[in-house]
């Protein structure tokens, strides 16, 4: 009985930790999408990993101008899934991929949609 109780307590503790991490990743993803939706390109780009922000800089136009043109939208999240230093969060009809960055999370790819048998198609990517 004690072994079963110990297993349940360990599982509950691990689940709580995963949910907190997923929640932090979901909050980071939502912050980027909300900023882009509101037209706050600088705020949205601040939430991206540097290579994702750089990928949006085209023909001398900064990330802050380009990200607001993509039509990214926030919405309900699935709470996110975390695998070590990587996470995936579904936001509305899109998917956001994140990496742990310092004490928090930054978006590596956003506005992603699955394609049968192929990698996701993403509007923002590293």
């Amino acid at each position: 009985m004690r072994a079963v109780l110990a297993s349940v307590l360990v599982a509950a503790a691990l689940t709580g930790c995963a949910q907190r991490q997923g929640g932090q990743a979901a909050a980071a993803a939502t912050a980027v999408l909300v900023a882009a939706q509101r037209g706050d390109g600088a705020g949205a780009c601040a939430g991206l990993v540097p290579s994702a922000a750089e990928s949006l800089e085209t023909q001398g136009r900064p990330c802050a101008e380009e990200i607001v043109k993509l039509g990214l939208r926030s919405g309900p999240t699935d709470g996110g899934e975390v695998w070590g230093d990587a996470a995936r969060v579904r936001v509305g009809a899109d998917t956001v991929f994140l990496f742990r960055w310092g004490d928090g999370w930054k978006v590596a790819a956003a506005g992603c949609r699955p394609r049968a048998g192929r990698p996701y198609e993403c509007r923002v990517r590293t």
Side-chain angles (χ1 to χ4, degrees):
M1 182 67 169
R2 285 184 181 176
V4 172
L5 180 58
S7 297
V8 169
L9 290 174
V10 169
L14 292 174
T15 301
C17 182
Q19 288 174 345
R20 276 195 307 276
Q21 291 177 0
Q24 291 169 352
T30 300
V32 167
L33 298 178
V34 166
Q37 187 173 342
R38 289 184 181 162
D40 178 10
C45 290
L48 301 178
V49 297
S51 58
E54 290 168 9
S55 76
L56 292 174
E57 296 172 355
T58 58
Q59 300 176 359
R61 291 185 299 255
C63 174
E65 286 181 24
E66 295 301 306
I67 197 164
V68 297
K69 295 177 185 177
L70 297 177
L72 299 173
R73 299 282 178 249
S74 184
T77 70
D78 68 351
E81 295 179 82
V82 175
W83 304 278
D85 290 338
R88 180 185 67 197
V89 179
R90 290 190 181 97
V91 183
D94 293 332
T95 300
V96 178
F97 295 94
L98 304 97
F99 292 129
R100 188 176 310 278
W101 203 264
D103 291 339
W105 293 91
K106 289 216 176 205
V107 171
C112 302
R113 302 228 171 172
R115 299 182 295 172
R118 300 179 65 200
Y120 279 77
E121 177 72 34
C122 300
R123 293 181 182 166
V124 176
R125 60 189 172 277
T126 55

